[in-house]
Every structure is written in structure tokens, then in C-alpha cells.
Amino acid sequence: ISQYPQNFTMLSTAINCCIEDEDNNNLQRYVTLALAIKPNDETLLNIQGKLYEDTQEFSKALDVYNRLNTLKPNNLTIMQHIALNQYNQGVLNFNKATLQETESEAQMYSSQANEAFTAAVSSMELILANTPNSVKYMQALAVAYDCLGNVKEFEDVNKKLASMGAATIEANVTPTLLTHAAKSLTTT
């Protein structure tokens, strides 16, 4: 690859080997090279997005999935990744806000958390319109509503969860990160 960095076949082989060996450091290097050759390749963009999710670089992952959404609109899986990255950005900023010593820093993180949760709510409502029995997204929606202080919406989602026999979300819970593979959130 160092002698033939533009050889996409060699890069594809290297990418597949890295995935099989779970070698994310080299995988990132080869995906970057491959994306320089084929910047709109959906498979490469999906791999890149997942790498960013795995390293908790949610804003970078969100950029990748927004790009994928432009290339392939109305794809539920892509929208799920967008929602989870928005939600996870909200979680990180919400939790950072509670740990700040100065009011101005806490306010900055709180504002960023509200912005991310608001975007996540919109995305999750769209997902739930298409998959109304998705416990994971319904629980994440409840957490987002709780963090935003939307009491009525929070209670409505908890009622839906209870009617499905799923675990409800407690008010004022410390939000936790959610992965695409996770089936549901746990309550504390």
C-alpha cells in the first residue's frame, strides 16, 4: 500500500483484514486513504462512522451519517445512527455541564446539550413513527425529554413504555451513552 496508495483493491483487502483482526488503528488509516479515492462510497462511510462512534467522536460520526443521509435519504438505519449520535452528544454535554465548577462553563455545556437533545428528539420521533415499538429509541426519547425539562412529553413516553411492558425511565436520571447495538437503556 505504501508503494501503491491509489490501488483501491489493495486498500479494500487491507480494510477487510483490519476488520477481521479488529485492528481499528490501521483500519482508520486505510479507510482514510480509501475515502480519498472514493469519497462517496457508502460502505467506507459506514465504516468511518462506526469508527468515530467507537471512539466517542460523536460529532464526527454525525457528520459522516449526515453525509450518508444526503447520499441515501430515507434510510432508517442511517437515521438511527444520526439520532444516536445526536443523543450521545447531548449526554456528553449534559454530564459535562454538571461537573463544571464555573457557571459560565456549565451554561455553555448545558446549552450544547439542549441543542443536541432537541435534534435527537426530532430524529427519534421520526424513527418511532416508522418503528413504534422500538423500546431503545422510546427510552432514549424519554431521557432526552427529561434532560430538556419537557415533563409532559417525558410522562407520555413513559406511559407508552409501561403499556408495552418495557422498563420506564426515572425522572432526573443521569443519562448514559447509547450504542447502535444496544437493545434498550437500563434505569437506575
Side-chain angles (χ1 to χ4, degrees):
I1 290 174
S2 61
Q3 291 180 341
Y4 304 100
Q6 297 296 313
N7 187 317
F8 191 78
T9 304
M10 291 178 81
L11 286 169
S12 294
T13 301
I15 288 168
N16 289 331
C17 288
C18 289
I19 291 171
E20 192 171 307
D21 291 342
E22 298 179 8
D23 181 0
N24 285 351
N25 291 331
N26 282 317
L27 177 60
Q28 180 61 70
R29 187 170 62 129
Y30 297 134
V31 167
T32 300
L33 290 171
L35 280 170
I37 298 168
K38 293 187 177 184
N40 293 326
D41 185 283
E42 292 175 21
T43 301
L44 290 174
L45 289 169
N46 265 309
I47 293 168
Q48 182 64 81
K50 289 175 186 170
L51 280 169
Y52 284 145
E53 287 175 340
D54 290 346
T55 57
Q56 296 186 4
E57 296 178 79
F58 301 117
S59 64
K60 288 181 180 180
L62 185 58
D63 290 341
V64 170
Y65 286 109
N66 280 330
R67 192 162 147 207
L68 271 168
N69 193 40
T70 301
L71 295 171
K72 197 171 185 175
N74 302 321
N75 182 299
L76 184 60
T77 301
I78 293 170
M79 184 53 66
Q80 289 170 334
H81 280 282
I82 288 171
L84 290 180
N85 285 296
Q86 292 166 329
Y87 172 85
N88 285 336
Q89 277 186 296
V91 168
L92 287 179
N93 287 319
F94 184 90
N95 291 334
K96 283 181 184 178
T98 62
L99 299 173
Q100 296 309 307
E101 293 180 15
T102 66
E103 183 64 32
S104 63
E105 286 180 338
Q107 190 67 24
M108 177 189 71
Y109 284 116
S110 182
S111 176
Q112 291 173 359
N114 287 344
E115 185 179 312
F117 280 133
T118 299
V121 162
S122 177
S123 298
M124 285 187 267
E125 286 174 344
L126 181 62
I127 291 166
L128 288 168
N130 290 288
T131 54
N133 294 329
S134 176
V135 171
K136 173 172 76 172
Y137 290 97
M138 205 173 292
Q139 288 175 330
L141 182 61
V143 171
Y145 278 140
D146 183 45
C147 291
L148 289 168
N150 298 354
V151 177
K152 182 188 179 322
E153 292 88 346
F154 169 74
E155 290 172 352
D156 289 346
V157 174
N158 260 341
K159 287 177 188 173
K160 288 179 188 174
L161 284 165
S163 71
M164 294 169 50
T168 59
I169 302 298
E170 292 181 31
N172 301 317
V173 67
T174 301
T176 58
L177 297 175
L178 191 58
T179 64
H180 188 69
K183 294 189 191 241
S184 67
L185 297 171
T186 56
T187 57
T188 55

